[in-house]
Amino acid sequence: MSSDIDVSSGGVTQNGGARTSDRGAATRGALLSAARDVFCDAGFAQAAVTDIVAKAGASVGSLYHHFNGKADLYLTLFEDFQGRQQERTREAINAVRDAGETDPMRQFIAGAGAYLSGCLDERDAARLFISGDGPPGFDRVMRQRLNKWARRNAALFHTADGGVDEALVTVLTGAMAGAVSEISLLDDEDAARRLADQVMVIVATIRNPGTEQR
């Protein structure tokens, strides 16, 4: 006897519900993957919804079932990328903390290095979002993300009176934003990796006024 009848609810359970949900998730994932490829190849402005659905093996209707349109796909890809970057940064900082590192500057360097490594590992995505070819208003989204990152950085750095070292946070955040842009836009991957290494060497020489030199 099958379990079609759900006695507790007095209704009928759709056995195909889980399979339908799985298919929906698979379609959504295929659309995002296809959108990433098409955006990276053609740019956001020139990308066509028909190209995305064709590459995903889906329909225009399924795209609008999961997303509001091309801009929604782009922003979802951006948030997914930033989520992975945040996780990389968090893991790197936690690793040095677990190893006994207490200097906020060295914790920052670990996290910033992980962020740059993520840009190198996902150069197509990093370049896509830094290129300036995004949906209307995306520049504001980028600024908000940078400000959010700056606030997280501020949590590491404090002055002797318990405040936040705004000058240090501004310098470090600006330096890293510039590095991300340059590294993402370089065509030569080896040159990009060398530049990332050189940037981190220079950042490591910046003194944190809130702590004594070791």
Side-chain angles (χ1 to χ4, degrees), residues 7 12 24 52 55 62-63 65 111 131 136-138 143 147 154 161-162 199:
V7 177
V12 177
I52 294 172
K55 191 173 187 65
S62 65
L63 186 150
H65 173 73
S131 67
F138 183 67
R143 286 196 303 273
N147 289 337
D161 60 2
V199 166

Side-chain angles (χ1 to χ4, degrees), residues 21 59 73 118 129 147 168 198:
S21 177
S59 66
L73 278 165
F129 301 127
N147 289 337
L168 181 61
Q198 292 164 0

Side-chain angles (χ1 to χ4, degrees), residues 87-100 107 110-111:
E87 183 62 17
R88 289 178 176 117
T89 301
R90 185 189 66 80
E91 289 180 353
I93 292 175
N94 284 344
V96 296
R97 282 175 173 168
D98 290 345
Q107 292 176 6

Side-chain angles (χ1 to χ4, degrees), residues 13 18 30 41 46 49 52 55 57 71 85 130 140 144 146 152-153 157 194 198 211:
T13 299
D41 288 343
Q46 296 300 317
V49 166
I52 294 172
K55 191 173 187 65
Q85 288 289 76
I130 210 71
R140 178 173 54 83
Q144 289 173 342
L146 181 60
R152 286 201 301 269
N153 293 344
F157 300 105
R194 286 195 299 272
Q198 292 164 0
T211 61

Side-chain angles (χ1 to χ4, degrees), residues 1-118:
M1 190 84 165
S2 70
S3 58
D4 287 348
I5 304 300
D6 182 353
V7 177
S8 64
S9 64
V12 177
T13 299
Q14 298 295 324
N15 283 343
R19 290 193 297 273
T20 300
S21 177
D22 289 343
R23 283 197 299 271
T27 298
R28 185 179 187 278
L31 286 165
L32 283 171
S33 178
R36 175 170 170 159
D37 290 344
V38 172
F39 289 150
C40 288
D41 288 343
F44 174 80
Q46 296 300 317
V49 166
T50 51
D51 292 337
I52 294 172
V53 296
K55 191 173 187 65
S59 66
V60 173
S62 65
L63 186 150
Y64 283 100
H65 173 73
H66 292 284
F67 302 96
N68 292 329
K70 192 169 73 166
D72 192 19
L73 278 165
Y74 187 97
L75 293 173
T76 300
L77 286 169
F78 175 69
E79 290 302 326
D80 286 351
F81 173 67
Q82 290 297 334
R84 292 190 296 276
Q85 288 289 76
Q86 184 174 339
E87 183 62 17
R88 289 178 176 117
T89 301
R90 185 189 66 80
E91 289 180 353
I93 292 175
N94 284 344
V96 296
R97 282 175 173 168
D98 290 345
E101 184 58 72
T102 59
D103 184 352
M105 179 60 77
R106 295 185 184 182
Q107 292 176 6
F108 171 83
I109 290 169
Y115 192 98
L116 289 184
S117 293

